[in-house]
Amino acid sequence: MTDSPALVNLSISEAADALRRGDTTSVALTQSTLARIDQTEPTLQAYATVPASRALAAAEQADRELAAGRDRGPLHGIPIGVKNNCYTKGILTEVGSKVFAGHMPDYDATVVEKLYAAGAVIIGKTRCQEFSCGGSEPPTRTPWDLERFPGGSSIGSGVALAARSAFGAIGTDTGGSIRIPASINSLVGMKATYGRVSAYGVVPLAWSLDHVGPLTRRVRDNALMLGAIAGHDPGDANSARVDVPDFTAGIEGGVGGLRIGIERDYFLYPGVTDEVRAATEAVMRQLADLGAAIISLSMPELALAQEILTTIRMVESASYHRRLIREKGHLYNPGTRATLEIGQTILATQYVAALRARERFRAAVRALFQRENLAALVSPTIPVPAPLLRDVRRPRPDMANGETPTDGFVHHVYPANLSGQPAISAPAGFTSDGLPIGYQLMGRPFDEATLYRISYAYERTQDWHERQPPLLYD
């Protein structure tokens, strides 16, 4: 048997192989994960709920099934965390808010159903910011630096993976909330094409922008998770009727002959720090060395993404919370409530104009991909490394109009939410202070496989995914 401390450092693929060789058991994986949770939670606060006995019972069942020859696939017996805005039958789902305190759903979100069908062990519900748009209390901290912002709103999922207290995790992404914590925590996070993964049973932030997706420590693991949770769902009106491929089938195909675009005016604008810029340029050079063609191009419509998406998000969020604020407004964090109420002041004509602008934006992005024959657009995931927690909610004197250090986070990630196209964040290295840097690839609709192929090719040339946060050595 593999020793317990080493188990939590295994990738999903490695753990799955060890299970099938008989080198370990799902119970051992789950016990080791629960031990890591006990060790790190008092400091990190990655989990809202950890149903330990239920997880161990699921692990025992997984071991029995595997022993009997019933193999549900690569997630069978693997401990997975689920963001606390996904309904879980019989497990608290409080969405980081007193408004949903004690809420115990009587059904599972489709993504949770699919995890169970794949044999995964739900190890716990990971913390999220209040309704995916407010703060987090108690504050979740990243093991890379306890004083730094861990990302939002899938903060718990990102931190749990970085801390090795889950092998994979589910996040949601309306404006970067899978990719931002992936970048900050040196992880792989996939926001698949809109409709690729069902959002049924997930508390919405903005229904026409919300995506559900996987976070992992390695690219292949991410492809395995997406394969397990993707697929058409009649319960979700926005679910796409498209086949689910084996996302790992061509992952080792390399990048030879692929055209990868960079829009420097938008994605490498002056707000990008020198170290993030250098890391992104290094990724591009490496991909070029591997045979990709890096194409400089122009798309002025990108500058409109933030205003269009913000209008849509605020109106749709206000619509969902209108009754709740009326009935339970006193239970919201004041900052969250104020943000949601602003959406009620936006005119219907402005919302409709934003929807029409989104269609033009989508058409422009897809025309760019077709005209330039692009496999992907590359960029930093976020323009800066993780800022200090103490600075996140207060304006900085060197920033105009009362902006905070995280306001620029959405600059790079919003375009993929607005267009609905897939986008992945993967590790690009570290700053001189040891803070992770991520790069982003945005791809063609329903072509997540090519993004995995590119990011896997780069991953194989580096050891970023092998490095562990300093906290884990303490």
Side-chain angles (χ1 to χ4, degrees):
M1 291 286 181
T2 305
D3 65 294
S4 180
L7 289 177
V8 294
N9 289 320
L10 296 176
S11 68
I12 290 176
S13 299
E14 291 168 342
D17 289 344
L19 281 171
R20 284 153 184 81
R21 289 194 307 266
D23 291 345
T24 191
T25 64
S26 178
V27 168
L29 294 173
T30 302
Q31 288 174 333
S32 297
T33 304
L34 291 170
R36 179 54 62 91
I37 290 172
D38 288 341
Q39 174 193 354
T40 58
E41 269 306 280
T43 301
L44 300 182
Q45 298 290 337
Y47 283 92
T49 304
V50 180
S53 59
R54 181 167 172 159
L56 286 168
E60 291 170 356
Q61 177 66 21
D63 285 334
R64 287 193 294 269
E65 290 182 349
L66 287 169
R70 185 184 181 190
D71 191 333
R72 295 173 180 259
L75 298 189
H76 200 164
I78 305 296
I80 302 293
V82 175
K83 187 175 177 179
N84 203 22
N85 62 347
C86 301
Y87 274 26
T88 41
K89 184 177 181 179
I91 305 176
L92 284 172
T93 303
E94 297 180 318
V95 206
S97 179
K98 294 178 182 178
V99 177
F100 270 35
H103 179 56
M104 192 80 73
D106 58 3
Y107 67 94
D108 289 317
T110 298
V111 67
V112 174
E113 287 184 346
K114 285 181 173 288
L115 287 174
Y116 283 139
V121 174
I122 305 301
I123 198 70
K125 300 298 290 295
T126 57
R127 290 188 182 274
C128 65
Q129 292 177 321
E130 185 176 29
F131 289 113
S132 299
C133 68
S136 174
E137 294 295 338
T140 300
R141 299 180 182 273
T142 173
W144 290 101
D145 185 333
L146 297 179
E147 301 305 315
R148 298 279 175 173
F149 181 62
S153 63
S154 306
I155 45 175
S157 293
V159 168
L161 281 169
R164 275 56 176 174
S165 61
F167 286 78
I170 297 298
T172 61
D173 192 315
T174 305
S177 293
I178 288 173
R179 290 159 289 156
I180 292 171
S183 179
I184 285 175
N185 290 288
S186 194
L187 303 170
V188 180
M190 170 64 85
K191 181 207 77 64
T193 309
Y194 183 74
R196 170 71 90 178
V197 181
S198 172
Y200 178 76
V202 178
V203 178
L205 175 57
W207 67 268
S208 72
L209 298 166
D210 292 343
H211 299 69
V212 181
L215 290 105
T216 57
R217 291 191 291 271
R218 296 191 184 181
V219 173
R220 184 184 292 273
D221 290 355
N222 204 278
L224 293 173
M225 279 194 70
L226 182 60
I229 64 175
H232 176 66
D233 176 18
D236 180 356
N238 301 300
S239 180
R241 292 183 176 273
V242 292
D243 293 335
V244 179
D246 177 355
F247 294 108
T248 67
I251 201 167
E252 297 186 9
V255 299
L258 297 183
R259 290 169 59 86
I260 300 173
I262 174 65
E263 216 282 13
R264 293 178 180 276
D265 289 344
Y266 185 83
F267 288 118
L268 294 177
Y269 75 118
V272 176
T273 65
D274 290 343
E275 289 185 299
V276 171
R277 183 188 303 272
T280 307
E281 296 280 8
V283 170
M284 289 190 283
R285 285 195 301 273
Q286 183 63 63
L287 291 174
D289 288 345
L290 293 172
I294 307 300
I295 311 299
S296 293
L297 45 80
S298 176
M299 185 185 165
E301 292 89 348
L302 286 167
L304 304 174
Q306 190 163 339
E307 181 179 356
I308 297 168
L309 188 144
T310 299
T311 300
I312 295 170
R313 178 184 61 78
M314 293 183 72
V315 172
E316 292 182 0
S317 297
S319 175
Y320 175 81
H321 287 274
R322 184 178 179 185
R323 179 183 60 81
L324 285 171
I325 288 178
R326 187 166 59 244
E327 297 175 356
K328 300 182 179 182
H330 62 289
L331 297 177
Y332 284 81
N333 176 283
T336 306
R337 178 175 175 175
T339 298
L340 294 169
E341 288 181 330
I342 290 173
Q344 297 181 20
T345 68
I346 297 174
L347 299 176
T349 51
Q350 293 173 281
Y351 177 62
V352 171
L355 294 178
R356 294 179 64 187
R358 175 169 62 183
E359 293 308 310
R360 292 195 291 271
F361 181 85
R362 284 177 173 171
V365 175
R366 295 181 186 187
L368 175 71
F369 269 75
Q370 183 174 3
R371 183 172 65 250
E372 300 290 347
N373 191 25
L374 296 179
L377 280 173
V378 64
S379 71
T381 304
I382 54 177
V384 298
L388 291 167
L389 275 168
R390 67 171 182 261
D391 293 337
V392 166
R393 294 297 178 187
R394 68 183 185 191
R396 254 177 36 193
D398 61 328
M399 300 184 78
N401 302 318
E403 293 176 339
T404 69
T406 57
D407 288 341
F409 277 19
V410 300
H411 186 271
H412 289 39
V413 292
Y414 266 17
N417 288 92
L418 194 61
S419 72
Q421 293 174 219
I424 190 171
S425 177
F430 295 85
T431 69
S432 57
D433 293 331
L435 298 176
I437 298 171
Y439 74 96
Q440 177 181 242
L441 295 169
M442 177 177 169
R444 293 174 177 267
F446 299 105
D447 191 19
E448 294 86 1
T450 296
L451 299 186
Y452 285 132
R453 178 179 158 191
I454 298 169
S455 53
Y456 183 71
Y458 177 75
E459 181 183 83
R460 295 176 73 180
T461 69
Q462 307 295 334
D463 68 348
W464 312 134
H465 58 284
E466 301 287 353
R467 300 192 188 183
Q468 296 188 29
L471 178 73
L472 303 188
Y473 298 109
D474 294 343

